[in-house]
Amino acid sequence: MTVRQDIHNSSAPVLCQACEARHRGICGALDPDQLVGLAKTSLRRRIRAGAELVGDAEAVDSYANILSGVVKLTKTLSDGRQQVVGLQFAPDFLGRPFKAESTISAEAATDLSLCSFPKAALERMMKEQPGLEHRLLRQTLRELDEAREWMVTLGRKTAAEKIASFLLLIAKNIDPARDPNARMAVFDLPLSRGDIADFLGLTIETVSRQLTKLRADGVIQIENNRHFVVENIARLEARSGS
Amino acid sequence: MTVRQDIHNSSAPVLCQACEARHRGICGALDPDQLVGLAKTSLRRRIRAGAELVGDAEAVDSYANILSGVVKLTKTLSDGRQQVVGLQFAPDFLGRPFKAESTISAEAATDLSLCSFPKAALERMMKEQPGLEHRLLRQTLRELDEAREWMVTLGRKTAAEKIASFLLLIAKNIDPARDPNARMAVFDLPLSRGDIADFLGLTIETVSRQLTKLRADGVIQIENNRHFVVENIARLEARSGS
DNA sequence: GAGGCCATTTGACCCAGATCAATGACGGCG
DNA sequence: CGCCGTCATTGATCTGGGTCAAATGGCCTC
């Protein structure tokens, strides 16, 4: 049987061979046969930054794994006020199972590479492979933890602490290969100042002023608006209020 | 087989017969045999308002279903600032699977009746009955939706809108038997002014002032600080900013 | 039913962050 | 190369909600 497994392993779809989602994402729950089955209906898509993936109250008939890039989840009040309620990075699963239409909208914050498949295909597979639902449950619980962490940031932190917390969040998530204990971080911000403001419950001006302050204090360096260097992550953490 | 099922049905543990969690909660996924199995290790507990159920960073070795009452989930920053990150009502499941220790603390907001069982018992049962994990996934997704909804409230609404949104949340959840379309609502607030402030990212004084304003405007009536009457829910909704 | 203990309300003032208004810095395009 | 359009920064001013302080009102005990 071990041999048989090996054969199967090597016969995993080429598409999936180098895929992050196959290891850390939900596809890790699938055996090679199932992987082949899902891959048959799946489709690799490239999406430009700014494109809307799912509109609010829009019916969705497909799910996807994020292969690279950042997705921004937002909710909008009737008068236009907007709140970013989550960011998703590779290899997160994208979609809201068991609901015909989404209550949030999803937008490509950066250029994106997705592996998408029909809603029905995944739901069929969930029935025959409980491990899939298990993976999904784990990701959902993690997202819930993150959302609650962010509620503290939104409800109780100052503007300066919010900005520091945000930069830490990005630094820690944008590069899947990054050493979690690294002392420094270099990254391109996936969000505009406006997006950051919507994420933190602030205005663009306040975001800008706080970033300027962090730079003036030597905690961060900024090049070309989007490229950030954090020499000493601990200094950011000290300002994050946690 | 139908007959056999019926026999099993009538042999469901007495404890579970009238239990809300058996229908709308996670126990709905269990067949009568499994229900008996879980009931053997389960324990009905009554808890006084104010008692701490789970401390932050405390190891937890049991889960529970809420049979009645309200549980307050909070997170606290190192300097004492506190944020209520969720409220749970009957028949919600209480606990964080797949994690040795909790990152939030749970407190009885009102007197509570719980049905608790050892962590190991549920995890064993989850392996033999995938439907259980399915129920858990559904509740977790719902909680995630709620958390994100609340992020909008925290990040983008005014104090007046926050208070109106909060009263709506309570009115709609505190009584499991309430008609969702009812035009009016009467309820006892499960939280103190301080708790409400911590839930909304406000101060006690602001909460009090906004409640006073709602009362002065005739939108709500308040008796004995905790007892609320909302004659016309639509008027509250109009002030909730959604 | 007097006194004490809280939770809540109310008032006066203040400040962090919003708002309004220029100004600066790119990058794309004719 | 110069003109826009977009995004970000910076400055001046305003204000919603915070802070500090005092009054009010239950409710409990004695």
Side-chain angles (χ1 to χ4, degrees):
Chain A
M1 266 335 218
T2 323
V3 176
R4 188 69 195 274
Q5 285 285 358
D6 284 337
I7 291 169
H8 273 170
N9 253 331
S10 61
S11 71
V14 184
L15 204 63
C16 307
Q17 300 273 8
C19 175
E20 200 70 46
R22 194 191 155 209
H23 305 292
R24 298 194 298 128
I26 59 161
C27 293
L30 300 177
D31 64 39
D33 278 344
Q34 296 172 317
L35 213 49
V36 171
L38 190 58
K40 238 181 290 193
T41 61
S42 79
L43 185 64
R44 198 167 281 217
R45 290 198 294 157
R46 300 206 143 268
I47 292 178
R48 286 266 151 233
E52 189 174 67
L53 301 174
V54 186
D56 187 14
E58 184 176 290
V60 190
D61 58 355
S62 70
Y63 296 131
N65 284 314
I66 303 177
L67 303 182
S68 72
V70 179
V71 172
K72 181 181 82 176
L73 306 175
T74 66
K75 287 176 88 79
T76 306
L77 296 176
S78 50
D79 63 359
R81 281 174 289 176
Q82 201 172 52
Q83 175 70 42
V84 174
V85 296
L87 293 179
Q88 302 204 278
F89 304 88
D92 286 350
F93 171 83
L94 206 61
R96 170 61 165 93
F98 319 131
K99 247 195 172 179
E101 56 177 49
S102 171
T103 57
I104 65 186
S105 64
E107 189 181 312
T110 64
D111 285 354
L112 227 53
S113 170
L114 297 182
C115 179
S116 76
F117 32 84
K119 215 165 164 161
L122 187 78
E123 275 162 9
R124 199 178 329 112
M125 199 149 288
M126 262 172 29
K127 278 181 190 138
E128 68 187 50
Q129 173 55 280
L132 201 53
E133 210 158 45
H134 180 79
R135 289 266 181 157
L136 221 43
L137 177 56
R138 278 181 179 272
Q139 170 175 331
T140 307
L141 282 166
R142 182 173 52 73
E143 283 182 56
L144 182 57
D145 286 346
E146 287 165 5
R148 286 176 169 163
E149 189 65 44
W150 211 250
M151 288 174 70
V152 182
T153 301
L154 286 172
R156 288 300 182 207
K157 291 190 185 174
T158 65
E161 290 167 342
K162 284 178 177 180
I163 291 288
S165 304
F166 169 74
L167 292 178
L168 285 170
L169 175 78
I170 299 299
K172 289 178 178 170
N173 285 288
I174 201 154
D175 177 8
R178 176 174 178 277
D179 169 13
N181 300 317
R183 180 199 148 120
M184 76 174 285
V186 178
F187 53 88
D188 281 304
L189 263 202
L191 302 184
S192 71
R193 300 293 188 270
D195 288 336
I196 300 174
D198 284 345
F199 193 24
L200 298 173
L202 299 171
T203 59
I204 291 181
E205 294 92 327
T206 301
V207 170
S208 179
R209 279 185 250 268
Q210 294 298 337
L211 286 176
T212 301
K213 182 154 197 307
L214 281 179
R215 187 174 39 185
D217 293 355
V219 180
I220 59 174
Q221 289 148 255
I222 309 177
E223 285 154 35
N224 296 329
N225 287 340
R226 292 287 188 113
H227 189 74
F228 280 61
V229 179
V230 184
E231 298 269 351
N232 185 348
I233 295 229
R235 290 189 66 194
L236 255 192
E237 276 164 351
R239 287 164 181 251
S240 73
S242 306
Chain B
M1 266 337 221
T2 322
V3 176
R4 186 71 195 273
Q5 285 285 356
D6 283 339
I7 291 170
H8 273 170
N9 254 332
S10 61
S11 71
V14 183
L15 205 62
C16 307
Q17 301 272 9
C19 177
E20 201 71 44
R22 194 193 154 205
H23 305 291
R24 298 194 299 126
I26 58 162
C27 293
L30 301 177
D31 63 40
D33 279 343
Q34 297 171 318
L35 214 48
V36 171
L38 190 58
K40 240 182 291 195
T41 63
S42 79
L43 185 64
R44 198 168 279 217
R45 290 196 296 157
R46 298 206 146 267
I47 292 178
R48 284 266 151 234
E52 188 174 68
L53 300 174
V54 185
D56 186 15
E58 184 176 289
V60 189
D61 58 356
S62 71
Y63 296 131
N65 284 313
I66 303 178
L67 303 182
S68 73
V70 180
V71 172
K72 182 181 83 176
L73 305 175
T74 65
K75 287 176 88 78
T76 307
L77 296 176
S78 50
D79 63 0
R81 279 175 289 176
Q82 200 172 51
Q83 176 69 43
V84 173
V85 296
L87 293 179
Q88 303 204 279
F89 304 86
D92 287 350
F93 172 83
L94 206 62
R96 171 59 165 93
F98 319 132
K99 248 195 170 178
E101 56 176 51
S102 172
T103 58
I104 64 186
S105 64
E107 188 180 312
T110 64
D111 285 353
L112 226 55
S113 169
L114 298 182
C115 179
S116 75
F117 31 83
K119 214 164 166 162
L122 187 79
E123 275 162 9
R124 198 180 328 115
M125 199 150 288
M126 262 172 29
K127 278 181 189 138
E128 68 188 51
Q129 171 56 278
L132 201 52
E133 210 158 45
H134 180 79
R135 290 267 181 157
L136 221 41
L137 177 56
R138 278 180 179 271
Q139 169 174 330
T140 307
L141 283 165
R142 182 173 51 74
E143 283 182 55
L144 182 57
D145 286 346
E146 288 165 4
R148 286 176 170 163
E149 189 64 45
W150 212 250
M151 287 173 69
V152 182
T153 301
L154 285 173
R156 288 300 182 205
K157 291 191 185 174
T158 65
E161 290 168 343
K162 285 178 176 181
I163 292 287
S165 304
F166 168 74
L167 292 178
L168 284 170
L169 174 77
I170 299 298
K172 288 178 179 169
N173 285 288
I174 200 154
D175 177 8
R178 177 176 178 275
D179 168 14
N181 300 317
R183 179 199 149 108
M184 75 172 286
V186 178
F187 53 88
D188 281 305
L189 263 201
L191 302 184
S192 70
R193 301 293 188 269
D195 289 335
I196 300 172
D198 285 345
F199 193 22
L200 298 174
L202 298 170
T203 58
I204 291 181
E205 294 92 326
T206 300
V207 170
S208 178
R209 279 187 251 268
Q210 294 299 335
L211 287 175
T212 300
K213 182 153 195 311
L214 282 179
R215 187 174 38 184
D217 293 355
V219 181
I220 59 174
Q221 290 148 254
I222 309 178
E223 286 155 33
N224 297 327
N225 286 338
R226 291 289 188 110
H227 190 74
F228 279 62
V229 178
V230 184
E231 298 268 353
N232 185 348
I233 295 234
R235 290 190 65 194
L236 255 191
E237 276 162 353
R239 288 166 180 248
S240 72
S242 308

